[in-house]
Amino acid sequence: MQAALRPHSSEPPAPATAEPLFPPQLLARLDKNGPRYTSYPTADRYHGGFGEQDYRLALQQRRAASPAEPLSLYLHIPFCESVCYYCACNKVVTRHHDRAARYLDALAKEIDLHVQELGRGVPVSQLHFGGGTPTFLSDEELARLMGDLRAAFHFEPDAEISIEVDPRTATPERLAYLQRLGFNRLSFGVQDFDKRVQVAVHRVQSFESVSALMQSARALGYASVNVDLIYGLPLQTAESFSRTIAQVIALRPDRIALYAYAHLPERFKPQRRIHEADLPDRATRVGLLSAAIEGFLKQGYTYIGMDHFALNGDALAIAKQRGELHRNFQGYSTQPDRDLIALGVSAIGRIGNTYSQNAKVLDEYYAAIEGGKFAVERGLALNADDLVRREVIMDIMCQGRVDFARIEARHGLRFGEYFSRELSQMASLAELGLVNLRPDAVQVTGLGWYFVRAVAMAFDGYLRTVSTGASYSRII
Ligand code: SF4
């Protein structure tokens, strides 16, 4: 059993001590930018040398090798009615809902292209609708899409079927309809409940409306409700964010994702409408994060890692305790990182030892799909070094531990020799109290969980050799 092989690592330090959660000397050394490792190699390493034919081949190889292995599905719905100024997503801002019709036709064709390569009825254990705003689609459009998917794939009875919901436009009736379509998990984009902050980021929604949605989700029996928050937004203060945290705790979502706002106006146009002078300074940001972590831990949540919290007793919290966490493009998960078919503009998938991303521009996506081709624009076939590093990095990110003997047995190498440079970096991190370096393993400490990206980065073979110029988000 996996749990027996991978003992879980230490829990984060208990909150409410006199000591700061993030010691200043550690922040000075480690608060840098870093990948979130939803994949390794990270998406900025994908390249145009991997294209449509490579993707087709990967699908054919899967069909030959493991046709009945369950799949994950991701659908990207790019449309949003209005723009949030902090947004870094791939989206199309429009009030013209009729634009969805052509997109749904393209998705139906893309689904069909996959059926041609994989056969009909491949089992699916996980489906996620992300965006953009998936609830931009009408009830009828969502029903059509779910019908297309169910005709192409076989959904396992206990499949996790989740959707990101915009609380500004959703109603309790909508949630009931989504449930009838088979959705059993919801994610609400909240970000912050403070009115001034909401105006500053052009996303206004009341606590009362989200609370009403939460109550109906509970009454309907949704298996899990997630709330997304962002710290580091304009006009956030320790006081205002504490109020938001208290309000979120009162809502009692099963899971909370707390993301750091990365202000990169040169890359993301909407962010140019945020006044830099309104952004909290570094010390305030650290204070916001510390207060959130302390608030959630005190109120019955488990720190999962990176940006994620789950109610004690939630499947994700139990998986953390048992050392059975997994990580995929949506973040932490209880489900193994399965092959992922990603549908829609800019969507990223994984088949076997390959990653691929669809065209990011809608017209290019349409041109490929309507011409009968997959819309893969770039990707990567992992080499042997990528595979071993992926396993080490995911062990760190998910279990907080790397067992040398396990990696040696799986990849036919001597850990100490192969990773000699990385192990000397681990020795430095051990001096900072982030890891325990043992003869047979690296174990992330309770404190180290807050800097787990920095630990993982030491094993990232690309960071030290090739710069893509990508702007990763800050670790804290
Ligand atoms: S944050 Fe979400 S809802 Fe807002 S513009 Fe971006 S994708 Fe659309």
Side-chain angles (χ1 to χ4, degrees):
M1 240 175 75
Q2 211 173 23
L5 287 171
R6 300 180 178 187
H8 66 85
S9 60
S10 323
E11 290 302 307
T17 59
E19 295 293 315
L21 202 52
F22 301 109
Q25 68 277 15
L26 267 187
L27 287 176
R29 288 208 33 193
L30 295 170
D31 185 18
K32 51 190 176 186
N33 294 356
R36 300 181 65 250
Y37 292 118
T38 50
S39 73
Y40 180 83
T42 48
D44 55 305
R45 309 291 171 184
Y46 306 170
H47 56 79
F50 184 100
E52 207 259 348
Q53 286 303 320
D54 302 288
Y55 182 65
R56 204 177 275 277
L57 185 65
L59 292 174
Q60 290 164 357
Q61 286 172 343
R62 182 187 205 275
R63 184 177 195 172
S66 48
E69 191 67 26
L71 280 169
S72 290
L73 297 178
Y74 172 75
L75 265 95
H76 190 80
I77 309 296
F79 305 107
C80 300
E81 276 196 13
S82 71
V83 69
C84 312
Y85 295 162
Y86 55 79
C87 183
C89 302
N90 191 292
K91 79 272 173 198
V92 175
V93 179
T94 178
R95 289 190 174 273
H96 297 287
H97 282 251
D98 51 357
R99 288 190 68 180
R102 184 178 178 191
Y103 195 71
L104 288 184
D105 288 346
L107 284 176
K109 285 203 177 80
E110 196 179 9
I111 291 167
D112 201 44
L113 285 171
H114 281 91
V115 169
Q116 287 171 29
E117 296 299 347
L118 293 172
R120 196 169 291 279
V122 177
V124 167
S125 62
Q126 206 170 26
L127 163 66
H128 182 73
F129 276 48
T133 308
T135 48
F136 180 94
L137 300 181
S138 67
D139 285 353
E140 295 69 31
E141 287 165 340
L142 282 166
R144 176 189 161 191
L145 195 44
M146 286 303 285
D148 290 343
L149 289 168
R150 288 187 189 281
F153 300 98
H154 168 71
F155 284 78
E156 295 186 333
D158 57 351
E160 290 183 1
I161 306 183
S162 56
I163 184 165
E164 294 167 13
V165 171
D166 184 343
R168 293 172 296 177
T169 52
T171 59
E173 294 72 35
R174 194 98 217 264
L175 299 191
Y177 189 77
L178 290 173
Q179 190 184 44
R180 288 203 290 282
L181 290 181
F183 290 95
N184 49 33
R185 288 162 184 268
L186 302 174
S187 181
F188 294 126
V190 167
Q191 327 313 354
D192 193 311
F193 278 125
D194 186 88
K195 186 71 186 290
R196 290 177 68 229
V197 176
Q198 291 187 350
V199 170
V201 300
H202 200 238
R203 187 185 174 105
V204 177
Q205 55 198 3
S206 69
F207 171 75
E208 289 70 26
S209 64
V210 178
S211 176
L213 288 175
M214 190 66 86
Q215 282 171 29
S216 23
R218 294 277 177 244
L220 288 162
Y222 272 94
S224 179
V225 182
N226 175 81
V227 161
D228 282 350
L229 299 174
I230 302 180
Y231 72 94
L233 292 176
L235 301 181
Q236 276 179 339
T237 63
E239 201 189 17
S240 76
F241 204 52
S242 296
R243 277 197 304 274
T244 289
I245 292 163
Q247 287 171 301
V248 170
I249 289 169
L251 294 176
R252 223 69 195 142
D254 303 277
R255 297 177 187 179
I256 299 164
L258 172 66
Y259 298 110
Y261 171 59
H263 189 60
L264 302 165
E266 63 290 350
R267 274 187 69 195
F268 305 114
K269 229 173 164 183
Q271 298 186 353
R272 294 175 200 168
R273 299 169 83 166
I274 286 179
H275 303 296
E276 289 197 17
D278 291 341
L279 292 172
D281 61 19
R282 185 161 170 266
T284 308
R285 277 172 68 98
V286 172
L288 299 174
L289 177 61
S290 307
I293 291 174
E294 291 184 0
F296 294 140
L297 293 190
K298 263 193 224 161
Q299 296 297 329
Y301 285 87
T302 296
Y303 179 66
I304 302 300
M306 289 275 302
D307 329 297
H308 289 61
F309 299 83
L311 267 181
N312 298 341
D314 180 270
L316 206 56
I318 293 169
K320 167 86 184 278
Q321 284 155 11
R322 291 183 177 162
E324 293 173 354
L325 279 180
H326 300 277
R327 192 159 174 80
N328 59 30
F329 289 108
Q330 268 80 56
Y332 284 106
S333 168
T334 56
Q335 293 218 9
D337 187 12
R338 300 186 188 287
D339 281 351
L340 169 71
I341 300 282
L343 304 164
V345 65
S346 77
I348 300 179
R350 165 191 164 167
I351 299 293
N353 292 331
T354 69
Y355 291 116
S356 53
Q357 181 168 29
N358 277 350
K360 291 182 188 165
V361 175
L362 203 47
D363 282 342
E364 290 170 16
Y365 169 76
Y366 285 146
I369 298 290
E370 290 169 0
K373 289 184 169 175
F374 291 106
V376 170
E377 181 179 78
R378 60 185 192 137
L380 188 81
L382 280 72
N383 61 31
D385 182 65
D386 294 333
L387 289 170
V388 63
R389 288 179 187 276
R390 172 164 79 179
E391 193 152 341
V392 169
I393 285 173
M394 290 306 160
D395 279 358
I396 291 169
M397 297 293 295
C398 297
Q399 326 311 336
R401 179 183 172 95
V402 188
D403 285 301
F404 303 160
R406 203 181 77 82
I407 298 294
E408 288 177 348
R410 285 176 54 80
H411 295 274
L413 49 80
R414 297 180 74 85
F415 198 96
E417 283 170 21
Y418 198 89
F419 290 114
S420 60
R421 190 152 46 160
E422 289 79 357
L423 287 177
S424 33
Q425 281 183 263
M426 288 301 111
S428 308
L429 295 182
E431 281 170 22
L432 295 173
L434 302 187
V435 297
N436 290 321
L437 185 51
R438 300 179 180 161
D440 60 342
V442 172
Q443 174 85 51
V444 176
T445 64
L447 179 64
W449 264 110
Y450 296 125
F451 298 91
V452 71
R453 273 199 267 185
V455 180
M457 282 165 72
F459 289 92
D460 186 327
Y462 291 86
L463 281 180
R464 74 167 59 98
T465 53
V466 198
S467 168
T468 60
S471 309
Y472 301 120
S473 58
R474 289 194 83 75
I475 287 180
I476 296 294

